[in-house]
Amino acid sequence: MTDEDWEQLPPLEGGLRAVQTLVIGGGIVGLACALRLQAAGQQVLLIERERLAAGASRGNAGALAFSDVLPLASPGILRQAPRWLLDPLGPLSLRPSYAPALLPWLWQFWRASRPARVAASTEAQAALLAQSAAEWPALLRLAGAEDQLRDGGNLHLYESEAQWRAAQAGWTQRAAHGIAFQNLQGSDALAALQPGLNPALRHGVFVPHWQTVNDPLRLCHSLAQAFLARGGRLARAEGQALLPEARGLLLRLADGSPLLAQRVLLCAGPWSHRLAASLGERFPLETERGYNTTLPPGAFALQRQLTFPGQGFVVTPIAGGVRVGGAVEFAGLEAAPNYARADAMLTRARRYLPGLRTEGGTQWMGCRPSLPDSLPVIGPSPADERLFYAFGHGHLGLTQAAATARLATAWATTQVRPPAAFAPGRFL
Ligand SMILES: Cc1cc2nc3c(=O)[nH]c(=O)nc-3n(C[C@H](O)[C@H](O)[C@H](O)COP(=O)(O)OP(=O)(O)OC[C@H]3O[C@@H](n4cnc5c(N)ncnc54)[C@H](O)[C@@H]3O)c2cc1C
C-alpha cells in the first residue's frame, strides 16, 4: 500500500462487534502495542477515529532519543521558563486565555520538580528508555522496517560557553545513567560532525547512541502493514464512552453502536483522558503543542540531527528533506495553530545554518500528550483491570513506543505489571 492508500481507513464492519483485544488510537503507541499483541497471539482490533497517525505521531522530529533521561519537570526548567515566556515566539509559550485551565497541571508540574521527585522520575525514565533501546530493533524487524532507521547520533549545539557550562550538570546526570557523550569545543570540532554551521558556534555535545527514523509517518504505516499481515484488524471508529459489563468492556462508539472487548488498551494520545473520564478516572493530561517546517530535499546537507537546547528546537534529516521544529505551546487541544512559531524557528535555524534554504516548506503542528511528572501512564486501570492505559508520553512517545508495547503485552499475556512509576494510580 502507498502512503496515500493509508489515508482512508475502512469503517468498522457491522458484524465485527465483539473482540478479544481492542486498541483505541492509531498513533505510534497504539500501533506498536497492536502489532506486539497480535504477534503474541492475541486477536486485536485497532480503531482510529480519523486516519492513521492523525496526531503527533505523524510529523514529529523522528528521534529515538535514548539519552533524554532528564524529566522536563525539574528545577532547571523552572529557572529557564520565565525568560522563555517573555519571548512570545520563543521556545515556551502560554496563551493567556488558556492560563486558568492550565493551573492545576502547572501546580502538579511544580510539585514534580522537587529534587526527590526528579531523581525518581529520572530513574524511571532512564529504565524505560533503556528498555526502548533494547526493544526497537526487534519491533522494526517485526515490521520489516529495519532500513528506516538512521544512525549518526545527535549534536547538541550551544550558543555560548556559558550556556554549554550550564548544561554540564545535566550531562553529568546523564553519565550517571550510562549515557555516553563527547564534549566538543571549537568550530573545527563541530564542523567535523556538521559542515556549514555558523562559525560563531563553538560549543557542543555529541551523543552517538541516538538514532532517527527516516519518516515517522512511514514508520507508522509499516507497523500497520505488519499488523494487518499478521491477521490484525484496523478500522475507522471513534470511541466515546467505556462501560464495564460482566461479559467485557463495552465501548460506545460515536455513531451510538456498541463494541464489546475482553481487554481494551487506551492509546488515544492527548485525548485519552476523555475516555478515561467515562470510568470516573480523571487524569491531569495536557497537551504541549509543537510546531515544525519540513523543507524539501536539497535544503541543507544535514549529516545528523542537531539540537539547539537554548532555543528549544531540532533540525532533522527527514524523508530526504530537513525538518526544523520543536517548541512548546500551552493552548489546549482546540485552539487554531499559530504558525508564526514555525516561522520563528526557521528564521533562527537559518542564523545557525547560514546555507539553509528555507523556501518550499510544509508547516505542521502536533499535540504532545503530557502528564505533569513527564512520565507516561502505562498500566491497568484501578477501576477495571480489563482496561490498560498507555498514554502521556510527552516529548518521547516515538522513542518509548517500543517499550510501552512490550509492557502492555507482558500484562496482557502474563499479568506482569509495569513498573510502579508509570502506574495510573499515582494521579487518581
Ligand atoms: C513537534 C514535535 C516533535 C516531536 N519529536 C519527537 C521525537 O523526535 N521523538 C519522540 O520520541 N517523540 C517526539 N514527539 C512526541 C511524540 O510525537 C508523541 O509523544 C507521540 O506521537 C504520541 O503518540 P500517541 O500514539 O500516544 O498519540 P497520538 O499520535 O496523538 O495518537 C493518538 C491517536 O488516537 C486517535 N484518537 C483519539 N481519540 C480517539 C477516540 N476517541 N477514538 C479513536 N481514536 C482516537 C487520534 O486520532 C490519534 O491518531 C514530538 C512531538 C511533537 C509535537
Side-chain angles (χ1 to χ4, degrees), residues 264-266 378-381 385-390 404 407-408 411 418:
V264 173
L265 266 77
L266 181 53
I378 309 170
S381 149
E385 294 214 334
R386 294 170 297 182
L387 171 63
F388 189 91
Y389 291 128
T404 303
L407 293 171
W411 170 251

Side-chain angles (χ1 to χ4, degrees), residues 324-349:
V324 178
V328 166
E329 179 189 49
F330 289 105
L333 286 163
E334 314 300 344
N338 173 6
Y339 286 117
R341 303 203 162 283
D343 293 334
M345 285 185 276
L346 207 52
T347 305
R348 286 182 188 133

Side-chain angles (χ1 to χ4, degrees), residues 111-205:
R111 286 169 59 87
S113 302
R114 293 175 184 170
R117 297 267 313 265
V118 174
S121 303
T122 307
E123 202 68 45
Q125 193 79 289
L128 192 61
L129 287 166
Q131 189 176 13
S132 298
E135 288 293 339
W136 261 114
L139 188 61
L140 287 170
R141 254 194 319 278
L142 209 53
E146 298 102 312
D147 61 337
Q148 296 187 29
L149 204 58
R150 186 186 166 117
D151 288 320
N154 180 295
L155 179 57
H156 285 53
L157 291 161
Y158 297 93
E159 296 139 72
S160 67
E161 182 169 353
Q163 198 185 73
W164 174 74
R165 285 200 185 286
Q168 289 304 310
W171 288 108
T172 305
Q173 279 173 274
R174 289 181 183 95
H177 289 280
I179 307 295
F181 64 91
Q182 192 187 345
N183 271 312
L184 300 168
Q185 295 208 59
S187 47
D188 288 349
L190 301 182
L193 287 174
Q194 178 57 62
L197 296 174
N198 184 328
L201 291 167
R202 295 206 186 86
H203 296 88
V205 173

